[in-house]
Each structure stands twice: as C-alpha cells, then as structure tokens.
Amino acid sequence: MKSIIDKYKKIRKLNSLSKSYKGKYAFVGIGNHSLNNLYPVLHYLNVDLKYIVSKSEDTARSIDANYFSIEGTNDFNKVLDDPEISGVFICTNPSSHFSLVKSALKRNKNVFVEKPPCQNLQELNEIIEIEKNSKAKVIVGFQKRYAPVFLKMKKYINSGYYKLTYNTGMYPEGDALTDLFIHPIDLINYLFGKPEIVSVMNSGNNKTILLHTKHDNGILGTVELSTENWWARAKETLIYNSSKYIFETVNTQKLLRLDKPKAIAGIPLEKINTPVISQTILYEQNQFLPLVQNNELYSAGYYNEIKTFLNICENHSNKNLSGLQDIVNTYITIDKISR
C-alpha cells in the first residue's frame, strides 16, 4: 500500500512540475486586480509571460529589475509584432480596453480582456465584426460564468423566480453600472437568459439600482445593485426558487439546495407537524485543505476562465463561456437600464 501511495504522490508532483502551456504571452496592466487575482493564477499554471506592458516608464524599469525573464515595456506594438506571442491579457483602465482589443485582433493575437471590454453596445458590435475577420478569438473576464457555484446552479434552472442582491461600498472612481454592476447583470443573463426590464428605479448616479425582470423563459427576478454599503461587508447573494427546489448562494463560496415543503390537498404539512428541512450542499469552498480547488481564486472562477483562454490559444478543447457574442444581451440590458 505504501508503494502505491508513494507512486501516486510522485505522479502528482511530476504533473504539478510539468509545463502544460508551451506558448508565450503578454500582459497589459499591473494594477491591484491583476496582481491579486490574475497573476497568481498565471504563476500557478507556470505560464510563460514574455512581456508586461505598462504606461509608466518607471513601472517598466521596475518590472525589468524585479521580474525574472519578463520584459517590461511601454510599447504595445512591440508585443503585437512579436510572432512568439500566443495571446495577450488586457487588464488596465477600462476606458482603454476597446482600442487595445481592436489593435490585438487586427494583428491576429488572441485576447483575454477584463470587463468591461468596451463602454457600450455600439463598441461591442464593432469588436465582434473585427473578430469575424481575424484569426484570433476573445474571451471576456466575466469570471462568475466559470465559478463552480453557478455552473452547478445553471443545470437546475427551468422556471420560477429569483432575487439577486449585490452590495458594495462607495465607488467614486468610475461608473458603477459598467465597472461593477456589469457582473451581476451578466450573471442573470448567463443563468436565466435574456431579460426584459419590467421596471427600473435609480437613486441617482447609479449608486443604487432596483430592477424587476422577466426573462424569455418566463422566469421572474428582483435585483438590487448598490454601492451605498460597506466594502468590508460587500456581499452578493442569489436565491432561486424553482419548481422543485430553492437554491441559495453566498458569494461564490457555497450553494445550498433545499427541498420545497410538501402539502396534501393544498395543506402544508409543516403546519401540522414540526418540519424536517431537507438541505443538500451542492458546493462549498473547503477552507481546511490548501488545494487549488479550495482557493478563492478557483471558487470565484478566475482559475477556470484563464485556463479556458490558454486552452483556446493552444488549440486544446475548451468551451468559451464568455466570448463577445455571448455578452451581447448583457450590453443590451445595460443599455436599457441606462435609458
């Protein structure tokens, strides 16, 4: 038995040390989101980053000095001219994403771009047309589409209604609708299909938006999006009431499925006897074992979305859940809310 265990551990170790991805890549941007959520996944996957592109010359020099085998540069064209580059990660100021994505596609470089890839539906349609004439593909960083919680929930969606709450602290540095609320808006499009916006209430400057939705499949929804809370208590919850079950999520860390209460001749049995609530944990982030599957970057979907992009670049089979065409309805929804 010991020899079998030792052999298994050795195989696992060798697999971890082996290099799954052979291509070279470039990254545009080195802000907090990149450093905290994207670069760690690239490091874990042993991805060969050849360039990091920054606006500041000081930052480029610092990259040269502190990142072994990675070249810091301010010249994006140098990256696009390099035939070794299999794909480009773009995660910089949202206002610059549109032009950077266009430039990369025109040079046939695959693109991973953080949300938002552009500012409006018109720009999105323009990128889609450019992609059609390019040999490259785009994946957009809507990581919730790759989170285990929502991948599991999507399998059960048929009819019913939901309530989504997305609360953060103040956001003075940009437009909350396109920079923050785009995530939960994309999530309801991904899970429940294209929504009709039945009603919208806005407290002003997109600080709090309340929506009533009706989707093409008949599912109804109530959505609360707000930046008038605390970042220290930021929270996203989704309760989905289907024909057979009630599903509850806590951020992307847990998914519960509760059996709906039973009744006889329209009389709820829980009013007759003390009910036993049947609850199944479909997914829960295990914080005891330090495995990659238990890391928050995995449960949030960052790991799976980056692996998907790398597989697309290197012609491995993988389904792109967040291509440009996939997010058209998300931008249509944002456009309706804005109007």
Side-chain angles (χ1 to χ4, degrees):
M1 177 63 72
K2 185 178 183 302
S3 63
I4 294 174
I5 293 173
D6 289 343
K7 186 175 182 180
Y8 169 74
K9 286 184 176 180
K10 183 177 181 179
I11 292 172
R12 188 174 61 182
K13 179 174 66 176
L14 291 175
N15 286 338
S16 297
L17 293 173
S18 64
K19 196 169 180 63
S20 300
Y21 299 104
K22 311 301 182 185
K24 295 183 182 294
Y25 295 84
F27 203 112
V28 183
I30 192 165
N32 284 332
H33 175 62
S34 304
L35 290 170
N36 291 320
N37 300 320
L38 304 182
Y39 281 105
V41 177
L42 295 175
H43 177 72
Y44 180 85
L45 292 172
N46 199 15
V47 173
D48 191 351
L49 271 187
K50 186 173 182 179
Y51 302 101
I52 294 178
V53 183
S54 68
K55 288 200 304 184
S56 162
E57 292 183 7
D58 290 342
T59 303
R61 284 195 294 269
S62 179
I63 292 166
D64 282 334
N66 295 290
Y67 283 77
F68 176 71
S69 77
I70 299 177
E71 179 181 340
T73 180
N74 308 127
D75 187 357
F76 188 44
N77 284 321
K78 180 179 182 179
V79 171
L80 300 181
D81 287 337
D82 191 334
E84 283 193 318
I85 298 301
S86 301
V88 179
F89 293 86
I90 297 174
C91 182
T92 182
N93 190 301
S95 62
S96 65
H97 286 178
F98 175 61
S99 61
L100 292 170
V101 171
K102 286 201 304 179
S103 297
L105 282 175
K106 289 177 179 178
R107 307 288 276 279
N108 296 312
K109 298 295 186 186
N110 293 305
V111 179
F112 174 97
V113 58
E114 258 304 335
K115 56 79 192 168
C118 51
Q119 297 299 305
N120 51 56
L121 184 60
Q122 181 180 350
E123 290 185 351
L124 178 62
N125 287 330
E126 185 178 339
I127 303 175
I128 288 173
E129 288 304 312
I130 295 172
E131 185 187 39
K132 289 178 181 178
N133 297 313
S134 172
K135 297 177 182 177
K137 296 296 179 184
V138 177
I139 176 172
V140 183
F142 285 118
Q143 79 275 358
K144 295 183 191 299
R145 290 176 176 243
Y146 301 87
V149 159
F150 299 122
L151 289 172
K152 289 180 181 293
M153 179 186 278
K154 189 171 174 63
K155 297 177 182 178
Y156 293 92
I157 290 171
N158 45 39
S159 61
Y161 66 91
Y162 66 89
K163 179 181 179 181
L164 185 148
T165 303
Y166 181 91
N167 290 333
T168 70
M170 291 185 291
Y171 187 71
E173 61 264 42
D175 183 352
L177 178 59
T178 55
D179 293 356
L180 298 180
F181 299 159
I182 192 171
H183 269 304
I185 290 170
D186 180 71
L187 180 62
I188 64 172
N189 274 275
Y190 170 66
L191 289 176
F192 306 110
K194 182 180 178 181
E196 173 191 346
I197 307 299
V198 179
S199 68
V200 181
M201 287 191 290
N202 194 325
S203 67
N205 298 321
N206 293 332
K207 289 181 179 179
T208 295
I209 298 174
L210 305 176
L211 305 174
H212 286 115
T213 61
K214 182 176 182 179
H215 295 257
D216 287 349
N217 52 13
I219 292 176
L220 304 176
T222 301
V223 181
E224 175 191 334
L225 311 171
S226 181
T227 59
E228 298 188 83
N229 298 276
W230 290 81
W231 280 105
R233 291 173 57 85
K235 194 173 184 180
E236 180 179 47
T237 58
L238 175 61
I239 299 174
Y240 166 52
N241 196 317
S242 73
S243 56
K244 291 181 63 177
Y245 305 105
I246 298 171
F247 298 85
E248 297 181 1
T249 72
V250 179
N251 296 325
T252 55
Q253 297 162 350
K254 182 182 286 189
L255 175 61
L256 300 176
R257 185 185 71 191
L258 290 77
D259 290 345
K260 297 187 81 167
K262 292 180 169 50
I264 297 178
I267 300 173
L269 295 182
E270 61 180 321
K271 289 200 172 185
I272 300 173
N273 295 312
T274 302
V276 176
I277 300 175
S278 177
Q279 175 179 288
T280 303
I281 300 175
L282 295 178
Y283 176 82
E284 184 172 23
Q285 182 186 337
N286 185 328
Q287 298 181 342
F288 179 74
L289 295 173
L291 302 175
V292 63
Q293 293 87 351
N294 300 329
N295 191 288
E296 286 189 15
L297 296 179
Y298 186 93
S299 63
Y302 293 112
Y303 180 89
N304 284 333
E305 70 173 359
I306 288 176
K307 278 203 74 172
T308 297
F309 176 65
L310 296 171
N311 287 337
I312 288 170
C313 290
E314 305 202 7
N315 297 317
H316 303 312
S317 59
N318 230 134
K319 181 170 175 55
N320 184 354
L321 300 178
S322 55
L324 294 175
Q325 199 66 52
D326 297 309
I327 65 170
V328 168
N329 286 335
T330 298
Y331 271 80
I332 290 174
T333 305
I334 290 174
D335 186 56
K336 289 179 180 177
I337 294 170
S338 298
R339 290 189 278 108

